[in-house]
């Protein structure tokens, strides 16, 4: 059985180009890999412009991408079953780290997100973006789907712990991403529509107390500013006004690489981190924006395809969640930069400058590739 | 495992696929919303945003603080900020840079150096940033450019403040100067605070009190039009100007001291003995510190730094001179304190001294014929070397060295200036450590008359004189009037505390005899108004041993002795102490003492009036 499987596998690969074959043997996914490379390269090109042609920043970002791709490669070698087995211990460990962050973490710009490990600093909340869906997928895959009510409630509690811990750091963006990654697992696991509807109504009712007691001042300002940025043109609304001007003045074809006045003239704050899409749109216009969205869409669809192809529940849920969360990044970031959504610190995946998100994202794709390339040998 | 068997893999996969399709549909809907937004911003409202982008440019402009002014103790301005104009170019506004530069060169002087700096900045800075081409335009140049500025897009005349030292070289060694901040400076300062500060204290008071003088940067949020011209100020955080600084230096007295020293190279340090306030700090020759403010030319710098007379060298703080006979009051005091000599002990001076039981080497007195029978008082008044050879030998270097050390010789004064020299106080240990040789008795003799290894800076000598005037109580010399860095209380070294009061007054009396007795070496400077205690010194520049490298450079022209004089006045209730060093001046009594007298007389008359 196994032997025949392998021979048919090999015969089907015969027409493949040599490179693609190697990539397959390295447990990598060729289409995904190519798309990610193009994306990373685009990111570096935009970053060069957004950072004011700072070669050193570009080098640093390349280093981070390199580290990300290496981690992706290693995770791709790891069978999904190993991850499944380690889900709970990893989850508990990361929860402990999140608590540690609140006690002994390093404060940067008023938020306590970092653990100083002497050699380097890292954000446990970033890892949680992958560990939370992993733990939830493991938990739900234990029984038949769709989950029963009590298992569903237990999963919600499981998810609430990291979401709350990260929210109080405070890091609303990451908290939101963890919450959505967990939600996607539940949704893909077959969360009933009527429960979903009920939860939505409940959330709407709870919106007021959350607004009043959970959100911090600066988070409330962001929402208020989002609703009417022109009210506060020099304060919190400045980001949004300037980035809208950048995108809008880019037009259909853009002002050309390195020629964006809004970004080059220091008007855009955080233009190489969270607001890099504004630089991109100003310089490459709507056509560039559409191309970027197509590239992103391709990656998401490929991810969903890998999920659908997966042969076990854990892999399927995890792969689906990773792909959908990837979209959340894109939507929240572009929505924020273009004034559709309030300003929430979510980077544009693989384009924004900054270390941890790149590594986490690429690690996620490593898991996707592992799921895709390990399934044949382990199928029942 | 049992539960696993209950799972229906097929239906689970189907469930997943359904949900995946719903998700993808949602994604497409949300992407459509994003796309609509992009169409709205980039197509429909494109013109609106282009207008905004062109017209409405809000910028954050840092405003550098104004540097604090420096005054002398009377309120005379020593360092000010003058309005100057520089020419700046915004490259992105210029169509043909080479043509523009050529055109400008026909109107104003543009040196090769300016052009090189400009081209360097042109490569490094972004095209919308102002790049300076010329600094310190004169009025004519400003007028020429202003007249046709409307035809020169991107060319701006920017007003600024530039440091200026109205008294020029008189205060060069006190104030130091500011210069453009460089890579070295950037390591030491808070870059944000200096973001729009071009100059930083490089030496002297300007360097030592840099933080005090600099102030804190401010910001302006401005709206500019497409040409980068500021339309209005939206919000402003004022910079905090640097604090002014008042010095202890008395500018008129400094001028008199400088004048008195004339063309001689040398140094004069005057200290208020009651407070430690430094009244004059002269180092001759000086240099014009204004040359350094906006970058001194290579040739000009070369001329200054290679000059034989070393005008850049701060002699008051760094010059190391043998004190010569001015050391005698200190050694004499040690002799009384340790009971080696007393007020009645006399010797016969034949004009030379031979170490008892030593080798047959004659240590000469400056007076070949000898002083005859002299006691300690006579030996200070007439500056008899033989008496001090004998005294020093009996004291031994092991007592002389610590005793001189308690007056501050061999140690930094720790004045509020960036750097100073500690001089050299020789000891048996020092010689073993540095020269790997034992101490010879002959060297004790030389130390006893202020020759040999012993070296002091003029500042040290003035400090020691002030300490002597206060009978051992030391004041901390300082230059900023309201300085908070240094201790304000008088201190007394335990060794000096143990000196008998009548020993102090005996030596002080002998020092007044130097000025007021007919045999005194500085008798011609006496006046009737007040009593002055002083001591002359004539230091050999070239002895038997190797001398400091500093003089050795010009051996053939400069063989004459250094003339020194220390004094304090009034002798009974001192207010002022002075040390004068005249390089190659010859005799201390003839050259250095009259200089000191001029300063002290002026001080005493102006203070009492």
């Amino acid at each position: 059985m196994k032997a025949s499987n392998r021979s048919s596998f090999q015969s089907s690969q015969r027409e493949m180009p040599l490179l693609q074959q190697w990539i397959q043997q390295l447990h990598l996914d060729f289409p995904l890999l190519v798309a990610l490379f193009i994306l990373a390269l685009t990111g570096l090109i935009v970053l060069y412009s957004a950072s004011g042609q700072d070669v050193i920043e570009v080098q640093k970002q390349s280093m981070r991408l390199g580290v990300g791709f290496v981690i992706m490669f290693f995770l791709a070698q790891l069978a999904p079953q190993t991850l499944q087995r380690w889900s709970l211990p990893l989850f508990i460990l990361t929860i402990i780290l999140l608590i540690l962050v609140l006690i002994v973490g390093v404060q940067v710009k008023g938020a306590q997100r970092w653990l100083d490990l002497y050699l380097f600093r890292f954000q446990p909340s970033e890892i949680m973006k992958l560990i939370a869906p992993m733990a939830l997928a493991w938990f739900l895959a234990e029984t038949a789907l769709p989950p029963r009510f009590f298992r569903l409630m237990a999963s919600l509690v499981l998810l609430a712990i990291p979401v709350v811990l990260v929210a109080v750091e405070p890091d609303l963006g990451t908290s939101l991403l963890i919450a959505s990654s967990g939600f996607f697992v539940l949704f893909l696991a077959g969360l009933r529509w009527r429960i979903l509807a009920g939860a939505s109504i409940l959330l709407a009712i709870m919106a007021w107390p959350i607004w009043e007691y959970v959100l911090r001042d600066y988070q409330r300002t962001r929402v208020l500013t989002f609703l009417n940025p022109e009210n506060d043109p020099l304060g919190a609304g400045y980001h949004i006004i300037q980035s809208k001007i950048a995108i809008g003045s880019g037009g259909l074809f853009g002002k050309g690489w390195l020629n964006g006045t809004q970004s080059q003239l220091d008007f855009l704050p955080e233009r190489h981190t969270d607001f890099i899409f504004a630089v991109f749109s100003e310089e490459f216009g709507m056509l560039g924006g559409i191309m970027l969205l197509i590239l992103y869409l391709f990656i998401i669809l490929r991810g969903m395809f890998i999920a659908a192809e997966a042969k076990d529940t854990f892999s399927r849920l995890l792969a689906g969640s990773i792909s959908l969360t990837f979209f959340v990044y894109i939507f929240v970031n572009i929505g924020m930069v273009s004034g559709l959504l309030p300003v929430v610190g979510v980077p544009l995946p693989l384009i924004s400058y900054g270390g941890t998100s790149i590594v986490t994202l690429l690690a996620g794709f490593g898991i996707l590739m592992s799921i895709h390339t390990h399934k044949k040998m382990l199928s029942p | 495992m049992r539960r696993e068997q209950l799972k229906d893999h097929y239906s689970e996969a189907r469930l997943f696929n359904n949900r995946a399709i719903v998700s993808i549909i949602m994604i497409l809907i949300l992407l459509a919303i994003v796309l609509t937004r992009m169409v709205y911003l980039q197509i429909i409202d494109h013109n609106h945003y282009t207008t905004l982008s062109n017209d409405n440019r809000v910028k954050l402009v840092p405003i550098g603080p104004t540097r604090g002014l420096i005054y002398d103790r009377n309120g005379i301005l020593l360092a000010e900020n003058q309005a100057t104009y520089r020419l700046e170019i915004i490259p992105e506004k210029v169509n043909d840079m080479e043509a523009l530069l050529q055109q400008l060169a026909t109107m104003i002087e543009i040196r090769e150096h300016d052009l090189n700096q400009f081209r360097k900045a042109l490569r490094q800075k972004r095209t919308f940033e102002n790049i300076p081409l010329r600094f310190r335009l004169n009025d004519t140049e400003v007028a020429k450019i202003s007249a046709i500025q409307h035809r020169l897009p991107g060319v701006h005349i920017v007003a600024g403040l530039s440091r200026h030292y109205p008294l020029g070289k008189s205060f060069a060694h006190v104030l130091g100067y500011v210069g453009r901040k460089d890579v070295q400076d950037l390591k030491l300062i808070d870059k944000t605070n200096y973001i729009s500060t071009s100059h930083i204290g490089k030496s002297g008071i300007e360097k030592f009190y840099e933080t005090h003088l600099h102030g804190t940067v401010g910001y302006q949020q401005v709206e500019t039009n497409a040409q980068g011209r500021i339309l209005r100020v939206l919000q402003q955080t004022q910079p905090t100007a640097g604090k002014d600084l008042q010095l202890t230096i008395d500018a008129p007295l400094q001028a008199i001291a400088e004048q008195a020293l004339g063309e001689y190279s040398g140094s004069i340090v005057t200290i208020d003995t009651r407070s430690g306030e430094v009244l004059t700090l002269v180092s001759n020759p000086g240099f014009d510190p204004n040359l350094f403010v906006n970058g001194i030319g290579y040739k000009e710098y070369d001329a200054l730094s290679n000059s034989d007379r070393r005008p850049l060298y701060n002699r008051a703080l760094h010059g190391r001179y043998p004190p010569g006979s001015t050391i005698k009051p200190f050694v004499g005091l040690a002799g009384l304190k340790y009971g080696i000599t007393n007020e009645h002990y006399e010797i016969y001076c034949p004009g030379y001294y031979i170490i008892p039981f030593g080798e047959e080497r004659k240590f000469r007195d400056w007076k070949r014929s000898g002083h005859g029978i002299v006691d300690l008082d006579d030996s200070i008044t007439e500056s008899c070397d033989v008496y001090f050879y004998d005294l020093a030998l009996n004291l031994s270097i092991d007592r002389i060295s610590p005793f001189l050390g308690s007056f501050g010789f061999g140690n930094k004064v720790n004045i509020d200036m960036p750097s100073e020299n500690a001089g050299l106080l020789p000891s048996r240990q020092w010689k073993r450590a540095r020269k790997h040789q034992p101490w010879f008795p002959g060297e004790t003799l030389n130390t006893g008359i202020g020759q040999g290894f012993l070296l002091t800076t003029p500042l040290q000598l003035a400090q020691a004189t002030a300490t002597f005037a206060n009978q051992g109580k030391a004041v901390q010399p300082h230059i900023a009037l309201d300085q908070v860095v240094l201790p304000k209380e008088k201190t007394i070294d335990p060794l000096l505390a143990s000196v008998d009061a009548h020993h102090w007054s005996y030596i002080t009396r002998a020092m007044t005899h130097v000025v007021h007795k007919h045999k005194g070496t500085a008798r011609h400077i006496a006046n009737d108004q007040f009593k002055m205690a002083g001591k002359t010194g004539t230091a050999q520049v070239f002895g038997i041993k190797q001398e400091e490298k500093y003089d050795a450079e010009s051996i053939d022209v400069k063989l004459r002795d250094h003339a020194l004089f220390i004094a304090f006045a009034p002798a009974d209730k001192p207010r002022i102490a002075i040390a004068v060093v005249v390089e190659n001046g010859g005799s201390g009594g003839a050259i250095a003492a009259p200089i000191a007298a001029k300063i002290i007389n002026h001080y005493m008359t102006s203070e009492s009036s």
Side-chain angles (χ1 to χ4, degrees):
Chain A
M1 175 76 187
K2 251 179 193 168
S4 69
N5 235 359
R6 184 162 296 166
S7 67
S8 72
F9 168 76
Q10 278 170 348
S11 65
S12 71
Q13 307 295 310
R14 196 163 293 154
E15 279 85 60
M16 276 184 156
L18 200 59
L19 178 71
Q20 209 162 335
Q21 239 176 62
W22 283 349
I23 285 171
Q24 192 103 35
Q25 276 158 12
L26 289 171
H27 293 290
L28 299 174
D29 181 52
F30 185 71
L32 208 47
L33 194 64
V34 171
L36 290 173
F37 270 137
I38 295 174
L39 198 56
L41 202 66
T42 311
L44 290 178
I45 290 168
V46 185
L47 178 66
Y48 180 69
S49 171
S51 64
Q53 294 153 47
D54 189 336
V55 179
I56 291 166
E57 299 241 306
V58 176
Q59 281 171 352
K60 279 189 194 162
Q61 181 81 340
S62 314
M63 285 284 293
R64 292 201 188 99
L65 283 165
V67 170
F69 278 111
V70 168
I71 288 176
M72 180 186 86
F73 177 79
F74 278 112
L75 279 176
Q77 314 309 309
L78 215 60
Q81 279 62 35
T82 318
L83 286 178
Q84 191 173 4
R85 230 173 294 131
W86 284 90
S87 288
L88 187 61
L90 280 173
F91 183 72
I92 293 169
L93 181 74
T94 316
I95 291 288
I96 293 171
L97 289 177
L98 279 176
I99 295 169
L100 269 179
V101 162
L102 291 177
I103 302 167
V104 296
V106 182
Q107 281 229 348
V108 179
K109 288 185 187 167
Q112 201 153 343
R113 300 173 185 172
W114 302 80
L115 265 190
D116 202 338
L117 292 186
Y118 296 99
L119 280 177
F120 61 98
R121 285 177 176 184
F122 87 114
Q123 295 184 20
S125 53
E126 278 294 333
I127 311 176
M128 195 41 111
K129 285 180 187 168
L130 289 175
I131 305 282
M134 216 188 281
L136 240 58
W138 159 78
F139 188 59
L140 292 176
E142 288 281 283
T143 57
L145 297 180
R148 306 284 289 271
F149 186 73
F150 288 106
R151 190 156 281 261
L152 181 67
M153 283 300 122
S155 331
L156 284 178
V157 172
L158 210 62
L159 181 60
I161 300 169
V163 169
V164 170
L165 281 175
V166 174
V168 298
E169 280 182 1
D171 189 346
L172 202 62
T174 308
S175 177
L176 183 86
L177 287 167
I178 295 170
S180 31
S181 70
F183 168 76
F184 291 138
V185 175
L186 289 171
F187 179 75
L188 292 172
L191 179 64
R192 293 192 197 290
W193 290 109
R194 55 173 189 275
I195 296 179
L196 201 62
S200 309
I201 293 165
L202 198 72
L203 207 68
I205 297 169
M206 274 178 49
W208 184 78
I210 287 177
W211 173 263
E212 198 70 359
Y213 300 109
V214 178
L215 293 187
R216 304 255 177 144
D217 261 348
Y218 83 95
Q219 292 164 341
R220 259 179 293 200
T221 323
R222 279 182 185 178
V223 178
L224 284 179
T225 309
F226 151 67
L227 292 175
N228 195 353
E230 277 75 15
N231 266 357
D232 185 14
L234 292 177
Y238 184 76
H239 280 55
I240 296 172
I241 293 175
Q242 293 301 335
S243 79
K244 272 162 72 180
I245 293 174
I247 297 172
S249 63
L252 189 58
F253 300 104
K255 297 174 184 173
W257 188 50
L258 303 180
N259 285 330
T261 51
Q262 279 295 111
S263 39
Q264 301 294 328
L265 288 180
D266 289 341
F267 289 116
L268 262 179
E270 298 181 32
R271 60 182 176 280
H272 63 301
T273 54
D274 288 354
F275 279 78
I276 200 161
F277 184 73
V279 178
F280 182 87
S281 295
E282 188 183 18
E283 298 191 345
F284 299 107
M286 200 170 109
L287 286 182
I290 290 172
M291 305 254 273
L292 185 67
L293 289 181
I294 289 172
L295 188 58
Y296 276 137
L297 187 63
F298 173 79
I299 292 172
I300 294 162
L301 291 179
R302 180 71 192 171
M304 290 309 283
F305 171 75
I306 287 172
E309 287 264 281
K311 291 290 184 281
D312 65 299
T313 311
F314 171 79
S315 303
R316 200 149 48 209
L317 294 180
L318 184 56
S321 167
I322 289 172
S323 310
L324 293 180
T325 311
F326 187 67
F327 176 72
V328 174
Y329 274 96
I330 298 158
F331 183 71
V332 172
N333 181 276
I334 296 181
M336 155 183 95
V337 173
S338 61
L340 277 176
L341 295 174
V343 177
V344 178
V346 171
L348 187 63
L350 298 182
I351 306 275
S352 281
Y353 183 80
T356 16
S357 83
I358 283 176
V359 175
T360 321
L361 283 162
L362 287 172
F365 287 113
I367 294 172
L368 275 182
M369 291 181 186
S370 143
I371 288 170
H372 191 51
T373 53
H374 284 85
K375 64 175 192 288
K376 279 158 186 134
M377 285 166 269
L378 296 152
S379 55
Chain B
M1 274 300 113
R2 208 169 60 83
R3 267 193 247 130
E4 195 69 25
Q5 288 162 354
L6 291 175
K7 292 177 92 170
D8 178 346
H9 286 284
Y10 178 71
S11 81
E12 277 191 13
R14 204 178 48 188
L15 178 64
F16 178 87
N17 287 349
N18 286 339
R19 290 299 168 101
I21 287 164
V22 173
S23 309
I24 289 168
I25 290 169
M26 278 301 290
I27 286 175
L28 290 175
I29 291 171
L30 290 173
L31 280 180
I33 293 175
V34 168
L35 207 63
T36 316
R37 181 68 174 173
M38 279 161 66
V39 169
Y40 172 74
L41 288 175
Q42 299 189 294
I43 309 285
I44 298 172
D45 275 359
H46 172 60
N47 287 340
H48 169 65
Y49 284 117
T50 304
T51 317
L52 282 184
S53 158
N54 286 340
D55 292 351
N56 182 20
R57 302 187 172 187
V58 178
K59 275 188 180 176
L60 208 58
V61 183
I63 319 166
T66 317
R67 198 172 176 85
L69 307 178
I70 305 177
Y71 300 96
D72 92 324
R73 65 184 302 122
N74 311 304
I76 296 169
L77 193 59
L78 303 179
E80 62 181 338
N81 304 312
Q82 275 187 343
T84 55
Y85 299 92
R86 61 179 185 275
L87 188 126
E88 293 187 348
I89 295 176
I90 304 175
E92 70 172 355
K93 302 284 181 325
V94 178
N95 292 328
D96 186 347
M97 183 63 80
E98 288 311 311
L100 176 70
L101 290 177
Q102 273 176 18
Q103 189 186 355
L104 287 173
T106 61
M107 296 160 64
I108 59 171
E109 188 200 343
I110 299 170
R111 290 181 302 177
E112 195 64 35
H113 176 75
D114 299 325
L115 217 52
N116 290 341
Q117 291 289 321
F118 178 78
R119 289 190 200 282
K120 200 170 149 199
L122 197 60
R123 284 194 298 272
Q124 287 172 352
K125 293 203 171 185
R126 295 196 233 159
T127 56
F128 59 85
E129 285 182 310
N130 287 24
I131 301 176
L133 175 65
R134 251 296 303 278
F135 291 90
R136 298 182 80 87
L137 296 168
N138 62 35
D139 292 347
T140 330
E141 290 172 327
V142 172
K144 272 186 191 167
I145 301 287
S146 303
I148 60 152
Q149 204 184 342
H150 60 281
R151 285 196 273 128
L152 303 170
V155 173
H156 296 275
I157 289 180
V158 183
L161 289 174
S162 177
R163 199 64 155 173
H164 180 246
Y165 304 101
L167 298 185
K169 67 175 190 155
S170 298
F171 280 87
H173 288 298
V174 177
L175 298 173
Y177 49 84
V178 296
R180 300 237 177 89
K181 61 178 185 204
D182 57 31
V183 186
Q184 285 308 108
D185 299 321
L186 286 176
K187 287 179 192 157
L188 303 169
I189 56 175
D190 171 11
K191 279 183 200 140
T192 319
N193 198 20
Y194 276 80
I195 190 154
S196 68
T197 305
S198 55
H199 286 65
I200 187 168
K202 295 280 185 182
S203 72
I205 286 291
E206 291 272 33
K207 182 176 184 183
F208 192 87
Y209 286 102
E210 173 62 32
T211 24
H212 180 95
L213 293 164
H214 178 264
T216 317
V217 72
Y219 286 95
Q220 218 177 29
Q221 208 166 40
V222 297
E223 198 182 286
T224 64
N225 70 1
Q227 278 75 46
R229 194 185 299 276
I230 292 171
L231 297 176
R232 61 192 177 109
V233 177
L234 298 171
Q235 215 176 40
Q236 190 160 347
T237 311
Q238 287 292 348
T240 315
K243 292 194 207 62
D244 292 349
L245 190 67
Q246 189 160 23
L247 302 187
T248 61
I249 304 280
D250 188 336
L253 197 66
Q254 173 98 349
I256 284 169
E258 205 190 354
Q259 213 175 3
L261 197 51
E263 283 304 301
Y264 283 114
S265 298
S267 172
I268 300 170
V269 180
T270 314
I271 296 174
D272 186 319
T273 55
R274 297 160 297 181
S275 57
E277 290 168 7
V278 175
L279 301 171
T280 71
L281 190 101
V282 175
S283 173
N284 225 24
F287 60 93
D288 184 2
N290 294 307
L291 291 175
F292 287 82
V293 175
N294 285 298
I296 185 169
Y298 180 75
K299 269 185 208 156
E300 288 151 309
Y301 183 76
D302 217 36
L304 278 176
S305 67
N306 289 337
S307 161
D308 271 0
R309 299 185 62 206
R310 303 190 62 180
L312 297 179
Y313 183 60
N314 190 339
R315 289 166 164 81
L317 271 61
H318 289 274
R320 301 183 349 146
Y321 303 94
S325 300
T326 59
I327 206 70
K328 285 175 183 166
F330 305 95
V331 178
L333 189 69
L336 291 175
K337 184 210 147 29
Y338 288 110
I340 304 301
T341 184
N342 60 49
E343 294 159 21
H344 314 292
Y345 178 73
E346 292 174 339
I347 64 152
Y348 173 73
C349 166
Y352 60 89
Y353 184 78
I354 295 169
I355 300 176
F357 317 113
E359 49 182 313
E360 275 289 300
R361 184 182 148 194
K362 282 182 179 177
F363 286 84
R364 298 268 173 206
D365 195 287
W366 64 272
K367 195 171 174 185
R368 282 298 171 103
S369 58
H371 296 275
I373 291 172
V374 286
D375 64 4
L376 180 56
D377 189 332
D378 301 326
S379 305
I380 287 173
T381 311
E382 302 171 28
S383 201
C384 168
D385 290 338
V386 170
Y387 192 97
F388 279 92
Y389 288 143
D390 186 52
L391 180 57
L393 191 67
N394 291 326
L395 266 172
S396 94
I397 190 67
D398 301 322
R399 283 194 285 214
I400 293 174
S401 190
F403 194 79
L404 291 182
S406 67
F407 278 96
F409 292 109
N411 281 312
K412 286 187 177 175
V413 171
N414 287 325
I415 194 168
D416 42 352
M417 290 281 261
S419 70
E420 61 177 290
N421 199 286
L424 175 56
L425 179 64
S427 67
R428 208 181 287 278
Q429 296 79 357
W430 167 82
K431 198 174 174 206
R432 199 175 300 128
R434 295 298 300 274
K435 307 220 175 255
H436 309 290
Q437 274 176 356
W439 184 267
F440 299 115
E443 290 161 352
T444 307
L445 266 58
N446 276 331
T447 308
I449 61 155
Q451 293 286 161
F453 300 119
L454 184 62
L455 295 170
T456 74
T457 65
L459 177 65
Q460 272 181 335
L461 206 52
Q463 183 198 31
T465 309
T467 306
F468 196 102
N470 289 330
Q471 304 209 332
K473 288 184 273 300
V475 285
Q476 172 61 53
H478 58 273
I479 297 188
L481 202 54
D482 297 316
Q483 60 85 17
V484 285
V485 193
L486 305 171
K488 285 203 162 125
E489 318 76 47
K490 290 181 186 173
T491 52
I492 184 156
D493 189 281
L495 196 57
L496 297 184
S498 67
V499 176
D500 264 13
H502 64 272
H503 289 158
W504 287 107
S505 43
Y506 178 87
I507 304 285
T508 305
R509 201 179 324 119
M511 285 172 79
T512 59
H513 293 162
V514 171
V515 179
H516 297 278
K517 227 176 168 181
H518 71 280
K519 272 190 154 179
T521 50
R523 57 193 167 275
H524 50 280
I525 67 162
N527 69 44
D528 310 331
Q529 322 283 307
F530 56 90
K531 286 224 164 179
M532 193 194 300
K535 182 70 196 83
T536 55
T538 306
Q540 283 179 352
V541 177
F542 300 103
I544 321 121
K545 308 209 164 54
Q546 89 274 24
E547 285 294 337
E548 27 173 353
K549 183 176 83 183
Y550 164 55
D551 290 298
E553 287 173 357
S554 44
I555 270 173
D556 39 351
V557 270
K558 295 185 173 177
L559 283 165
R560 290 167 73 188
D561 297 337
H562 291 332
L564 291 94
F565 191 67
I566 60 168
F568 57 91
D572 51 340
K573 217 177 163 217
R575 299 214 296 264
I576 180 172
I578 192 168
V580 176
V581 176
V582 184
E583 282 180 20
N584 313 111
S587 151
I591 302 297
I595 292 173
K598 272 185 202 158
I599 296 156
I600 291 178
N601 290 342
H602 182 272
Y603 179 78
M604 296 303 289
T605 47
S606 66
E607 247 224 343
S608 50
S609 65

